[in-house]
């Protein structure tokens, strides 16, 4: 018993250490540090553009008391809440622009403050997902301490927790500001809640109030939790209505109590945030470069039932093994270990699910029914085009279910092999869990340092600021969804004027482009990106975006041939922000190009009012210390 406790403590300690060590070192992505930029720099533009625009739209289409109530809520948020409860206001702003649930950002608001250094922004902004990721592991331990896993089943805990703790996808998203690591917490919490409630002989009023309250709160932590609730209620209905033979009226009363709380929470969530996604789908880059993770109907003309069934089975056979492996994998894709896991992990997950469903123990069978219903929900959503079955962060919420299924499959297989050899099956399963947990931990720790080295953030605020000063650069343009320099405090002092499309109103190709500039004419310009090298075509597009904001005397030529390259630094990387390289969503590259004008700028297009000039900070305006003009 003691050695199991020590090993569990070691797993959790190592899991926390590798995550915390990467908080300020892991490279950034627009979906990551965009949260910090929205919180720190976009409050006024949010009020003036996004909120005012949607309030006007609501007023124009208001048809009854409910619509007028929504308008009142938004005005309340923008005024009283913004003044007296800043964390609520910040969470509302972030979740209104990004696609993330708001709860996590209550803590983010308390940690991120203006004037922090770039590294402090990364550390503090990523601290909430780190904490919630660790809490998710703690809740998985709690899950294993409830019901049938106590006593003889305790060794299974080590393998299940190790698989969840050292999933590389889980480790990565504990180091990103978006709210995906908290999804692991939500699933672990629901699984622990399910086991706790399933141990009761009947649904009491207090227990069902707790169920509805917890489910409602978890929806505000991760929107995907909503799709876990029907499977949860289905599993509980089986446990009490079928296995325990609870009277129908008593069962219905309990579900009405918890269901009412869930409906109230969902109504608040929908009318505040989710209304934006009505009719939308979660299918975009996560479908894969060739759409391989998105379901497409049969290609034959006039397909029959058999054609549809064969097409669905083919799609699931191609996607589910990849999803399972890449969510659980503790080894990089390019290694021999991954090739073994690609076969082993899907088999263990399937075996574990089958064993749970066939178990004579009601709580285990209930858990198996929950897992089966979750799979059914995810597959249904994929088949109707709402989600993909891809190996991306959008599948990370399934990790606790996958880890528990795989661990259970492993101990069932070990027990079966032991019995075939005439040995004690329980002893073999206990040893398999212990050895499996140790192997997962050792293999991850042996390979993660090299993987983390490929994920080190290449942006160095002091170096970039010194380079631009030394080269006498007048303006810096960010492209390819690159937000890093906007969080460099010293750089923003030297370049006090900021130009950026009003992305709360304008969804044009200029969105996520920006310019930092000094007062005066622009004779030299630098362009920086974390994912794309500069080309003549890209330069022209980005220059035209910026010229919509610049006054006539300060506009820049959009002809690449009018410039000479005076400095170029390219550090390409194939390392995607996701664990898997099977989808493309932004890499860990670094591309800096400095251009100097050869001729006088031509007359350029008129200014677009949808782009704004922001007095970023009054300090540091004027010529940079040691500035020298570039003469060619």
């Amino acid at each position: 018993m003691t050695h199991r406790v020590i090993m569990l403590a070691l797993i959790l300690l190592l899991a926390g250490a590798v995550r915390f060590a990467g908080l300020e070192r892991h490279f950034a992505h627009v979906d990551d540090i965009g949260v910090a930029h929205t919180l720190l720099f976009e409050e006024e533009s949010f009020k003036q553009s996004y909120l005012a625009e949607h309030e006007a739209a609501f007023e124009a289409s208001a048809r009854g008391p409910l619509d007028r109530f929504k308008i009142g809520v938004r005005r309340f948020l923008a005024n009283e809440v913004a003044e007296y409860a800043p964390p609520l206001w910040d969470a509302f702003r972030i979740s209104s622009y990004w696609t993330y649930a708001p709860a996590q950002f209550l803590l983010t608001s308390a940690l991120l403050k203006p004037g922090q250094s770039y590294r402090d922004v990364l550390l503090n902004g990523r601290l909430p997902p780190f904490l919630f990721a660790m809490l998710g592991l703690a809740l998985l331990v709690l899950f294993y301490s409830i019901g049938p896993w106590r006593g003889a089943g305790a060794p299974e805990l080590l393998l299940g927790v190790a698989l969840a703790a050292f999933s590389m996808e889980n480790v990565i998203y504990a180091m990103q500001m978006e709210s995906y690591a908290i999804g692991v917490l939500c699933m672990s919490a629901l699984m622990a809640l399910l086991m706790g409630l399933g141990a009761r002989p009947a649904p009491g009023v207090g227990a069902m109030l707790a169920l509805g309250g917890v489910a409602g709160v978890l929806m505000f932590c991760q929107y995907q939790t909503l799709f876990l609730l029907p499977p949860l209620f289905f599993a509980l209905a089986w446990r009490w209505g079928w296995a325990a033979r609870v009277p129908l009226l008593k069962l219905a009363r309990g579900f009405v109590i918890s269901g009412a709380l869930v409906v109230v929470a969902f109504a608040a969530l929908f009318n505040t945030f989710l209304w934006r996604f009505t009719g939308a789908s979660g299918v975009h880059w996560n479908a894969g470069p060739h759409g391989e993770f998105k379901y497409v109907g049969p290609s034959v003309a006039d397909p029959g039932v058999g054609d549809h069934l064969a097409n669905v089975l083919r799609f699931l056979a191609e996607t589910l093994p990849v999803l399972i492996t890449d969510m659980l994998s503790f080894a990089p894709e390019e290694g021999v270990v991954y090739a073994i896991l690609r076969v082993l992990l899907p088999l263990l997950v399937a075996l574990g699910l089958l064993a749970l469903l066939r178990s004579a123990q009601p709580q285990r069978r209930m858990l198996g029914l929950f897992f089966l219903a979750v799979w059914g929900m995810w597959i249904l959503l994929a088949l109707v085009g709402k989600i993909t079955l891809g190996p991306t962060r959008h599948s990370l919420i399934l990790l606790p279910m996958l880890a528990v299924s795989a661990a259970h499959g492993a101990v069932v297989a070990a027990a079966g092999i032991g019995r075939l050899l005439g040995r004690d099956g329980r002893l073999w399963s206990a040893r398999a869990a212990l050895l499996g947990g140790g192997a997962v931990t050792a293999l991850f720790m042996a390979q993660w340092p090299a993987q983390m080295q490929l994920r080190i953030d290449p942006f160095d605020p002091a170096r970039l600021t010194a380079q631009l000063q030394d080269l006498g650069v007048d303006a810096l343009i960010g492209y390819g969804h690159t937000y890093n320099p906007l969080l460099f405090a010293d750089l923003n002092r030297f370049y006090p004027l900021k130009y950026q499309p009003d992305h709360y109103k304008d969804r044009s190709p200029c969105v996520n482009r920006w310019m930092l500039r000094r007062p005066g004419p622009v004779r030299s310009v630098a362009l920086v990106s974390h994912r794309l090298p500069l080309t003549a075509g890209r330069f022209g597009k980005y220059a035209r975006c910026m010229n919509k904001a610049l006054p006539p005397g300060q506009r820049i030529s959009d002809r690449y041939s009018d410039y000479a390259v005076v400095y170029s630094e390219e550090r390409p990387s194939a390392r995607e922000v996701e664990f898997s390289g099977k989808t493309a969503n932004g890499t860990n590259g670094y591309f800096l190009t400095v251009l100097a004008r050869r001729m006088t700028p031509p007359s350029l297009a008129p200014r677009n009012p949808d782009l704004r000039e922001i007095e970023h900070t009054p300090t540091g305006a004027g010529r940079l210390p040691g500035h020298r003009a570039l003469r060619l």
Side-chain angles (χ1 to χ4, degrees):
M1 183 67 176
T2 303
H3 65 277
R4 293 175 189 162
V5 174
I6 292 174
M7 185 170 176
L8 177 62
L10 180 62
I11 289 171
L12 294 176
L13 180 64
L14 291 174
V18 296
R19 286 163 170 81
F20 188 80
L23 292 184
E24 64 179 44
R25 299 168 65 231
H26 193 283
F27 76 91
H29 184 275
V30 63
D31 296 337
D32 164 39
I33 56 174
V35 169
H37 186 263
T38 297
L39 193 151
L40 295 173
F41 299 119
E42 296 190 350
E43 181 173 11
E44 288 307 312
S45 61
F46 177 82
K47 278 186 178 181
Q48 295 167 11
S49 298
Y50 182 87
L51 205 58
E53 176 186 341
H54 285 91
E55 184 175 308
F58 272 127
E59 288 179 336
S61 61
R63 292 185 175 87
L66 181 59
D67 287 339
R68 286 191 288 274
F69 174 74
K70 293 177 186 177
I71 294 169
V73 168
R74 289 177 171 274
R75 287 174 177 165
F76 176 73
L77 288 167
N79 295 301
E80 278 72 22
V81 171
E83 182 175 357
Y84 298 109
L88 285 174
W89 169 242
D90 289 339
F92 173 71
R93 288 194 296 118
I94 292 169
S95 295
S96 292
Y97 179 66
W98 300 94
T99 58
Y100 314 141
Q104 174 177 300
F105 305 113
L106 297 173
L107 182 55
T108 308
S109 170
L111 295 172
L112 285 181
K113 302 299 178 185
Q116 290 177 339
S117 70
Y118 175 63
R119 295 298 167 196
D120 284 343
V121 168
L122 294 184
L123 176 63
N124 294 331
R126 292 168 172 175
L127 197 56
F130 162 76
L131 294 173
F132 290 126
M134 296 307 298
L135 183 56
L137 295 178
L139 286 173
L140 191 57
V141 174
L142 175 64
F143 159 82
Y144 273 114
S145 70
I146 299 172
W149 276 273
R150 287 181 294 185
E156 196 169 321
L157 175 152
L158 295 175
L159 180 54
V161 172
L163 285 170
F166 299 121
S167 153
M168 288 195 175
E169 181 80 350
N170 193 18
V171 172
I172 290 164
Y173 276 96
M175 300 185 288
Q176 298 283 288
M177 293 185 204
E178 54 263 67
S179 57
Y180 289 99
I182 201 173
V184 175
L185 178 152
C186 293
M187 175 62 100
S188 296
L190 288 180
M191 287 164 50
L193 187 62
L194 176 66
M195 299 310 291
L197 291 173
R200 294 171 173 266
V205 172
M208 298 311 283
L209 282 172
L211 171 60
V214 170
V217 169
L218 293 179
M219 283 194 292
F220 280 85
C221 295
Q222 170 57 266
Y223 296 144
Q224 290 172 301
T225 304
L226 174 66
F227 300 116
L228 301 177
L229 298 184
L232 182 76
F233 283 106
F234 165 73
L236 286 172
W238 176 87
R239 174 70 181 96
W240 287 322
W242 181 265
R245 303 296 182 184
V246 173
L248 183 61
L249 187 61
K250 186 175 183 179
L251 187 64
R253 182 191 66 183
F255 282 126
V256 167
I257 291 171
S258 56
L261 292 178
V262 169
V263 168
V264 169
F266 175 74
L269 194 65
F270 180 84
N271 288 301
T272 309
F273 301 110
L274 294 180
W275 61 270
R276 295 188 298 136
F277 308 121
T278 304
S281 77
V283 179
H284 27 82
W285 59 265
N286 55 2
H290 307 293
E292 52 266 49
F293 301 112
K294 174 185 176 182
Y295 179 71
V296 179
S299 57
V300 300
D302 193 22
V305 174
D307 296 315
H308 282 287
L309 181 59
N311 194 59
V312 168
L313 293 176
R314 176 200 55 79
F315 173 70
L316 297 180
E318 291 175 352
T319 57
L320 290 184
V322 175
L323 184 156
I324 291 168
T325 305
D326 288 6
M327 289 303 101
L328 285 172
S329 183
F330 44 89
E333 283 184 300
E334 54 273 13
V336 174
V337 175
Y338 177 86
I340 297 171
L341 296 178
R342 179 72 170 75
V343 176
L344 182 62
L345 288 174
L347 290 176
L348 291 179
V349 168
L351 177 60
L353 177 58
L354 182 61
L356 289 171
L357 290 170
R358 296 184 61 190
S359 173
Q361 213 287 334
Q363 281 182 269
R364 292 197 183 199
R365 185 176 295 184
M366 175 189 66
L367 183 66
L369 288 170
F370 172 63
F371 288 172
L372 183 66
V374 170
W375 278 121
M377 177 66 75
W378 246 248
I379 290 169
L380 177 63
L381 290 170
L383 296 183
V384 298
K386 293 299 181 182
I387 66 171
T388 71
L389 293 181
T392 67
R393 61 198 186 195
H394 309 100
S395 302
L396 187 57
I397 194 170
L398 303 178
L399 176 64
M401 177 181 80
L402 299 177
V404 169
S405 297
H408 192 58
V411 298
V412 167
I417 294 171
R419 285 192 294 268
L420 284 175
L421 297 175
R423 305 297 176 85
D424 184 346
R426 292 179 60 181
L427 181 61
W428 272 58
S429 65
R431 288 176 175 173
L434 184 64
L435 293 174
V440 169
T441 304
L443 287 168
F444 172 84
M445 294 305 299
Q447 298 178 89
W448 177 251
Q451 293 302 303
M452 187 61 207
Q453 197 60 38
L454 298 173
R455 293 178 170 273
I456 298 295
D457 184 8
F459 281 81
D460 183 334
R463 181 173 181 268
L464 179 60
T465 302
Q467 284 179 310
L468 298 184
Q469 283 185 269
D470 184 58
L471 294 168
V473 172
D474 298 310
L476 175 66
I477 294 175
Y479 66 96
H481 307 285
T482 301
Y483 270 52
N484 312 61
L486 296 178
L487 302 175
F488 295 177
D490 289 341
L491 186 67
N492 282 272
R493 283 195 293 271
F494 290 124
Y495 296 91
L497 300 178
K498 178 181 175 184
Y499 302 87
Q500 188 175 13
D502 188 345
H503 47 236
Y504 294 109
K505 294 169 63 176
D506 179 11
R507 291 288 181 176
S508 73
C510 294
V511 170
N512 287 335
R513 318 280 188 257
W514 50 265
M515 173 188 279
L516 298 178
R517 185 180 65 80
R518 300 183 306 158
V522 177
R523 300 178 299 274
S524 60
V525 60
L527 296 97
V528 67
S529 175
H530 79 90
R531 62 173 79 183
L532 297 170
L534 188 66
T535 64
R538 286 174 182 153
F539 173 79
K541 180 170 67 174
Y542 306 144
R544 287 189 289 274
C545 285
M546 293 303 106
N547 283 334
K548 295 177 181 180
L550 293 169
Q554 298 173 17
R555 293 173 183 166
I556 60 177
S557 171
D558 61 8
R559 293 191 298 269
Y560 189 71
S561 59
D562 289 345
Y563 297 84
V565 177
V566 296
Y567 181 83
S568 178
E569 182 176 351
E570 294 190 357
R571 285 184 264 164
S573 170
R575 186 60 49 180
E576 290 283 339
V577 66
E578 298 279 347
F579 159 76
S580 174
K582 300 179 184 72
T583 59
N585 186 37
T587 56
N588 188 28
Y590 183 81
F591 302 90
L592 175 66
T593 307
V594 178
L595 306 174
R597 282 298 310 273
R598 297 181 188 274
M599 60 183 71
T600 305
S603 176
L604 298 173
R607 181 173 180 170
N608 182 341
D610 280 344
L611 289 102
R612 62 191 184 278
E613 177 176 321
I614 302 171
E615 189 68 33
H616 208 42
T617 116
T619 59
R623 297 178 69 83
L624 296 175
H627 170 79
R628 59 180 178 80
L630 295 170
R631 302 184 185 280
L632 301 173

